[in-house]
Amino acid sequence: MEVRFLDLSQQYAGYRGRVLQAITEVCDKQTFALGPAVAAFEKRAAAYCGVRHAIGVSSGTDALLVSLMALGVGPGDEVITTPFTFFATAGAISRLGARPVFVDVRPDTYNINPDLIEPAVTDRTKAIIPVHLYGQAAAMEAIAEIASQHELKVIEDAAQAIGAERNGRRCGSLGDLAAFSFYPTKNLGGFGDGGMVTTDNDELAAKVRILRDHGQDPRYFYHVIGGNFRLDGIQGAVLDVKLDYVDGWNARRRALAKLYNRLLADSPVQTPLVEAENLCCYHQYTIVAPQRDALKDYLAEKGVGSAVFYPKPLHVQTCFKDLGYSPGDLPVAERLAEEVLSLPIYPELTDQQIHYVAGAIRAFYGAR
Ligand SMILES: *Cc1c(COP(=O)(O)O)cnc(C)c1O
């Protein structure tokens, strides 16, 4: 049996007709930069996330960047975040001349450990960026508490968490601002790059809207220095159609995760812990596996794709060496980088395929 790590073509067949029609409408109107399709998507995406404002932008990376810009983060400022995330979370901080301050993660949820945040706060700290890694919300109440005590802003990195909830509230509504990615492999993926900022704050929303289009309002009158962070009309049209399917897809991901949990219980691998407060959207299903690299090779031999998110934590990346971190500084993230393995979890997988993957994992350890 072959179980590819990800296969978007099966899913495409399910909504192909609707999406092609939506794209054709954008082409017929020639409204490629922002435009009515983006505005329509923004309105529905805001309602979906339970916030007043959603602002379409060019990528998840730019959603983080423009959110930090809207908060006025710049040189001399510090922003607390996790080292166990995609590069862009910290890259956006550094690009504005601010300093990422990395705080270690929890070994069970893989998310930033809220107990370690407060000791990292200084009088230069401006914001916290928790990441809802693999589709599970970070410990937002504890983070909000620290933020309010120290007058910090919170930006959710919700790139992997569309439709995920904490205490019944959707990700994107849990911080001052949130950044989403619509990179094609995300739970809601466009036909190219795209992203979105959500917020309930009218003032911040107005800032983000202006910043994503060079800081102009009206055209050719510049209030602040922004950039070209616009979302394409075609992406807005595609995302508006695909938004209808997200809840169904996420539910199927949860069913697959439940099956993995059952089949891998009492095996040598650690299955992902989802906190009682959370409804996880399983952007990834990530285990902690002894002899991870050998397991990955073995699965590949058996026709099973898997992936490592992420093989090297950010605090020890070459590009951040000036920050002065050393190996050993954030031991949980460093260990996870060596032991995590993400298994296939897209909604089109059959139960039979999950049985096959779990069986192969058990066979790997059984043979040793
Ligand atoms: C995908 C991702 C991003 C960046 O999104 P792009 O759309 O690829 O720029 C940022 N943070 C996290 C956690 C991500 O997974």
Side-chain angles (χ1 to χ4, degrees), residues 58-64 85-89 131-134 157-160 179-183 185-186 193-195 283 310:
S58 33
S59 68
T61 302
D62 289 339
L64 288 161
T85 177
F86 180 62
F87 165 76
T89 315
V131 178
H132 307 315
L133 197 70
Y134 308 143
D157 183 337
Q160 304 186 359
F180 287 89
S181 166
F182 304 126
Y183 185 74
T185 61
K186 300 287 160 91
D193 282 302
H283 174 59
Y310 298 90

Side-chain angles (χ1 to χ4, degrees), residues 82-110:
T82 162
F84 196 56
T85 177
F86 180 62
F87 165 76
T89 315
I93 300 166
S94 289
R95 285 171 65 189
L96 292 171
R99 179 189 176 85
V101 173
F102 296 112
V103 162
D104 212 353
V105 294
R106 279 176 51 162
D108 49 2
T109 64
Y110 321 129

Side-chain angles (χ1 to χ4, degrees), residues 227-238:
N228 175 358
F229 305 127
R230 295 183 300 256
L231 181 64
D232 287 344
I234 284 178
Q235 301 309 335
V238 169

Side-chain angles (χ1 to χ4, degrees), residues 4-16:
R4 295 175 59 182
F5 181 64
L6 182 60
D7 179 1
L8 293 168
S9 56
Q10 270 175 281
Q11 187 166 93
Y12 176 55
Y15 60 77
R16 186 176 178 276

